[in-house]
Amino acid sequence: MLDADFFRRWMTATAVSVGREAERLTALDSPIGDADHGSNLRRGFDAVAAVVAEKVPDTPGAVLVLAGSRLISTVGGASGPLYGTLLRRTGKALGDAPEVSEEQFADALRAGVDAVMALGGATPGDKTMIDALVPAVDALTDSFAAARTAAEEGALATVPLQARKGRASYLGERSIGHQDPGATSAALLIATLAETAGE
């Protein structure tokens, strides 16, 4: 079973991972975006780590709702609302239970990913964070490690795609050949989930 402390550690580990990879995320964003993905997410997840340490939510759902709200309030552009929606909707789907099973979390994360797709209008193959999140959620029913592998493969699979959503879509065919920074940061989020679970 997964308790609030597990989710706090996941968010804290994500802040460390995003901080470590911020320059790479921004480098990926430079040719096809605003060149600020890494710096924006680092600011947002640093704020998340600070607030979950300060307020100490006592349920898994409350941790993720708090984290998502903090991302929305601290990260501009598309990343804040998209990641904030992912975490808030996942947290709301978990409800007020003090502990949740891995299966319950997988179902809740799928609800969160569905909410992101509804917000951004993206589907798999559009060269967005969805290309990492959908295969991760599908694999999460097997294990956290399987979800990490699926997310990383999904992010790599965006390289030959032409972007159909977001700023990169303005580039048309010139977006081909670049790994999507959103899919890459989504894979980081799932990788830290697996690390937090010890997988």
Side-chain angles (χ1 to χ4, degrees):
M1 297 295 282
L2 309 172
D3 60 11
D5 184 60
F6 174 87
F7 288 93
R8 288 177 57 209
R9 289 188 287 113
W10 177 28
M11 291 296 100
T12 303
T14 298
V16 173
S17 180
V18 167
R20 186 175 59 238
E21 298 292 331
E23 291 187 8
R24 184 169 76 96
L25 293 173
T26 291
L28 290 172
D29 194 34
S30 295
I32 60 173
D34 292 329
D36 59 3
H37 190 61
S39 56
N40 278 344
L41 279 191
R42 177 167 53 195
R43 182 175 63 254
F45 276 101
D46 281 351
V48 167
V51 76
V52 299
E54 174 189 342
K55 293 193 175 183
V56 195
D58 57 1
T59 68
V63 172
L64 295 184
V65 169
L66 178 62
S69 298
R70 184 51 58 103
L71 284 174
I72 290 172
S73 65
T74 57
V75 181
S79 297
L82 291 171
Y83 272 99
T85 295
L86 174 67
L87 297 180
R88 281 176 53 85
R89 292 298 291 269
T90 301
K92 287 182 178 179
L94 290 174
D96 297 326
E99 294 182 322
V100 298
S101 68
E102 293 179 18
E103 292 76 14
Q104 288 172 313
F105 173 62
D107 289 342
L109 186 60
R110 186 176 297 279
V113 173
D114 287 345
V116 172
M117 288 196 288
L119 177 64
T123 56
D126 284 344
K127 200 179 182 87
T128 71
M129 63 193 294
I130 294 301
D131 290 306
L133 291 175
V134 166
V137 168
D138 290 342
L140 194 55
T141 54
D142 293 332
S143 68
F144 290 111
R148 173 177 55 202
T149 299
E152 290 171 348
E153 290 176 350
L156 286 173
T158 63
V159 173
L161 298 178
Q162 179 174 330
R164 295 196 294 255
K165 291 291 180 183
R167 186 175 179 82
S169 66
Y170 302 151
L171 298 176
E173 292 184 354
R174 286 183 291 149
S175 66
I176 295 172
H178 301 280
Q179 184 169 324
D180 183 67
T184 306
S185 59
L188 278 179
L189 182 72
I190 301 301
T192 57
L193 174 67
E195 290 168 9
T196 304
E199 294 184 10

